[in-house]
Amino acid sequence: MWLRTQKLIMDVDISDGGIQGEVPTWFWNLTSQIRSLNLSHNQFVGEVPIISVPSIEYGGPWLMYCWKFAFGGEMRPPIFDELNTSVPHVGDLVSLHMHDLRSLSNLLCEAKNRSYKLEILNLEGNDLSEEIPDCWMNWPELRVLILRDNNLIGGIPKSMEVLSNLQSLDLGRNRLNGPFPSSLENCTKLQKIDLSENEFVGKLPSWLGMRFPTLIVLILRSNKFDGELPQELCHLKDLQILDLANNAFVGIIPRCIGNFSAMIKGKNEVDDLNYSFYMGVLIESATVTTKGNMYRYDTILPLFTSMDLSSNNLSGDIPISLTRLAGLRSFNFSKNNLTGRIPNGIGDMKVLESVDLSENQLYGQIPQSFPSLCTLSFLNLSDNNLSGMIPLSTQLQSFDQTGFQGNKLFPNGEYEEDESDKDEVDWFYISMATGFALSFWSVCGSLLFKRSWRDMIKDISIEKM
């Protein structure tokens, strides 16, 4: 009831509130002054009236969060029916988040050569099973496009190249295919690209690292990309989240990964650009795998940095330049063919929370600098060829021992004789005995086969007698 008395409120968010029953009639009268409204994930019942949407001139940017509207039955708010039958109405909106959409083509392609002001389009989770329409020329102002969690098929249409203002593209969890979309090459303002869990194939183009100078999030996990990682990726100086896991990439990890400037900075040094994008009007999110689980980051995304190259066919050693990324919070290089030693400078990465290097062919000892990682809460070094003692540290000793299995590591600083040490001792005695035998028979053999030596020894023996 307190809301009913408010005259200046512009933003209302009562999502996830556990609220039940009908929405009072007076509540809908507030929409004439409200700029954004989010009622999602509650237990509302009843009908929603046609909502009065203020125009841009009087009401400013108008956002309506309809994602997974939680009203009972199969009710569809009449405003959505109006949008589907009279598309020009969308021209009054800056942001549209819709659920229960029947056709993407009907919404986007009945524009009749008119350009619309829509800047944010969120059609997540609508079970759309068509191709992405090739009519994006009607939406030049679009800044955020979210089509994830559908069943979209086919490739990325060419008309997307006109979206020069696009800053965030999320097409994750669909059935899209084809090579990395060349139509994105002109979308140079992109700060987030998420093509995860699709069926994209082929090599990553070199221009991917050159055309997006402000790219912050690049998520391509669980596709069928292959080939070597282009060196040009290292030009993405603002990159905070790089996820290329579960593909078929080969070759070495680029030595220049230490050039990711945003992963070098600490949390207090994040650029204002990142904050204005995530903490302002464009409240964004990203799903990241860390600490052995998947997490969805939203409001704290500007503070999070992550690199995931797991489940590929990468080889060679871990670049020493990785240890320059002092602001990196999580990295996962597991399930590759990496060799060599863990860089000693890993202890300089002071904000690391999660490290996964399991199922590789790394050897040598665990660096003694590991105990200095005070923020580390997840560590998995299992199934490598590591040897020696686990560094003495209350923190390391507290980790689950399965994170060290499959190596020749000794817990708690206890010394155990390694099999390789036994082999070295055995071979020492064997080689010493073999050398003695060879020396003995080289002398005796000479006496047996050289007659002059035998006669000389015989004469010496007779003289002594």
Side-chain angles (χ1 to χ4, degrees):
M1 293 300 297
W2 168 82
L3 274 175
R4 190 174 185 176
T5 65
Q6 304 307 305
K7 304 300 182 183
L8 301 177
I9 280 184
M10 299 179 67
D11 305 284
V12 175
D13 183 349
I14 53 176
S15 60
D16 292 293
I19 306 173
Q20 301 178 2
E22 294 187 2
V23 178
T25 304
W26 60 259
F27 180 82
W28 301 114
N29 296 330
L30 294 176
T31 58
S32 61
Q33 70 186 48
I34 289 176
R35 179 180 62 178
S36 66
L37 172 63
N38 191 348
L39 309 180
S40 63
H41 298 285
N42 283 289
Q43 301 297 322
F44 292 124
V45 296
E47 296 183 356
V48 179
I50 295 178
I51 300 173
S52 173
V53 180
S55 64
I56 297 297
E57 292 84 355
Y58 300 104
W62 198 89
L63 293 77
M64 183 169 182
Y65 292 80
C66 317
W67 177 61
K68 294 187 177 177
F69 228 82
F71 283 81
E74 297 183 359
M75 182 278 308
R76 282 166 49 82
I79 185 174
F80 299 162
D81 293 319
E82 183 178 351
L83 290 175
N84 285 337
T85 58
S86 179
V87 176
H89 187 74
V90 182
D92 294 334
L93 295 174
V94 170
S95 175
L96 179 62
H97 297 206
M98 293 184 65
H99 186 61
D100 196 22
L101 179 67
R102 295 185 178 95
S103 172
L104 184 59
S105 298
N106 289 346
L107 177 65
L108 298 179
C109 298
E110 295 180 6
K112 299 178 181 179
N113 299 319
R114 175 181 171 182
S115 294
Y116 294 92
K117 300 176 183 179
L118 195 70
E119 296 182 7
I120 302 174
L121 179 59
N122 185 349
L123 303 178
E124 177 181 357
N126 276 282
D127 295 324
L128 299 169
S129 56
E130 58 190 300
E131 292 188 359
I132 297 177
D134 194 10
C135 51
W136 294 97
M137 67 288 294
N138 303 314
W139 310 93
E141 302 299 322
L142 206 60
R143 296 168 62 195
V144 176
L145 177 59
I146 304 174
L147 300 177
R148 72 176 295 113
D149 288 309
N150 284 287
N151 292 303
L152 296 170
I153 60 176
I156 307 300
K158 180 174 172 48
S159 61
M160 274 195 175
E161 65 185 9
V162 305
L163 302 179
S164 58
N165 292 313
L166 196 63
Q167 295 182 356
S168 177
L169 176 65
D170 191 342
L171 304 177
R173 295 174 63 89
N174 281 285
R175 293 186 292 147
L176 299 169
N177 55 45
F180 190 90
S182 59
S183 55
L184 298 183
E185 189 172 0
N186 293 328
C187 304
T188 57
K189 295 181 181 179
L190 276 168
Q191 297 186 357
K192 172 185 174 181
I193 300 175
D194 188 342
L195 305 180
S196 61
E197 298 186 53
N198 280 284
E199 300 174 10
F200 290 105
V201 299
K203 297 177 173 59
L204 296 184
S206 58
W207 55 260
L208 174 58
M210 307 293 290
R211 299 292 292 172
F212 309 117
T214 58
L215 193 66
I216 299 171
V217 177
L218 178 60
I219 303 178
L220 305 178
R221 70 177 298 116
S222 299
N223 279 282
K224 299 177 182 178
F225 289 116
D226 56 26
E228 296 185 357
L229 299 179
Q231 296 285 325
E232 288 80 2
L233 285 178
C234 298
H235 292 285
L236 301 173
K237 60 181 181 64
D238 288 337
L239 202 64
Q240 291 181 216
I241 295 179
L242 174 62
D243 189 346
L244 307 179
N246 197 22
N247 281 283
F249 292 116
V250 298
I252 64 172
I253 299 174
R255 295 291 179 263
C256 55
I257 62 172
N259 294 344
F260 293 134
S261 301
M263 296 185 186
I264 297 176
K265 300 174 182 178
K267 68 179 182 180
N268 295 322
E269 301 176 89
V270 180
D271 294 339
D272 291 338
L273 170 68
N274 298 1
Y275 276 103
S276 64
F277 176 71
Y278 289 111
M279 305 299 285
V281 176
L282 303 182
I283 301 175
E284 265 296 351
S285 65
T287 301
V288 180
T289 300
T290 181
K291 302 180 183 179
N293 294 292
M294 297 190 74
Y295 298 92
R296 186 141 177 148
Y297 289 88
D298 39 49
T299 55
I300 66 167
L301 190 59
L303 308 179
F304 191 76
T305 50
S306 171
M307 186 185 302
D308 193 342
L309 306 180
S310 63
S311 299
N312 282 285
N313 296 312
L314 298 171
S315 56
D317 57 4
I318 300 173
I320 297 177
S321 62
L322 174 72
T323 61
R324 293 184 55 215
L325 306 180
L328 191 63
R329 293 185 176 274
S330 171
F331 74 87
N332 185 349
F333 294 170
S334 66
K335 298 178 183 177
N336 280 287
N337 298 308
L338 299 177
T339 58
R341 300 175 182 271
I342 301 174
N344 288 323
I346 196 170
D348 297 331
M349 305 171 73
K350 298 298 185 182
V351 296
L352 266 181
E353 299 173 8
S354 175
V355 175
D356 193 341
L357 296 172
S358 61
E359 297 186 50
N360 280 287
Q361 301 174 38
L362 302 172
Y363 58 82
Q365 296 184 339
I366 298 177
Q368 293 298 313
S369 61
F370 253 105
S372 65
L373 299 176
C374 300
T375 57
L376 195 64
S377 59
F378 179 87
L379 176 63
N380 191 350
L381 304 177
S382 64
D383 297 313
N384 279 282
N385 296 313
L386 300 171
S387 60
M389 293 181 290
I390 299 174
L392 190 60
S393 163
T394 303
Q395 184 182 24
L396 291 185
Q397 306 299 337
S398 66
F399 288 141
D400 192 326
Q401 291 302 303
T402 58
F404 301 102
Q405 69 184 11
N407 293 286
K408 298 177 180 179
L409 295 169
F410 315 133
N412 302 321
E414 296 176 359
Y415 176 76
E416 295 181 15
E417 190 175 12
D418 197 332
E419 291 295 328
S420 60
D421 295 336
K422 293 179 181 179
D423 291 342
E424 291 177 5
V425 173
D426 292 341
W427 278 109
F428 173 75
Y429 289 112
I430 292 172
S431 60
M432 186 171 65
T434 303
F436 175 81
L438 289 174
S439 300
F440 176 81
W441 284 110
S442 63
V443 175
C444 294
S446 300
L447 295 177
L448 290 174
F449 295 101
K450 196 167 183 65
R451 183 174 180 179
S452 60
W453 286 18
R454 292 200 308 272
D455 292 341
M456 181 178 66
I457 293 174
K458 183 178 180 181
D459 293 341
I460 293 173
S461 299
I462 293 173
E463 290 178 359
K464 286 185 177 181
M465 292 175 66

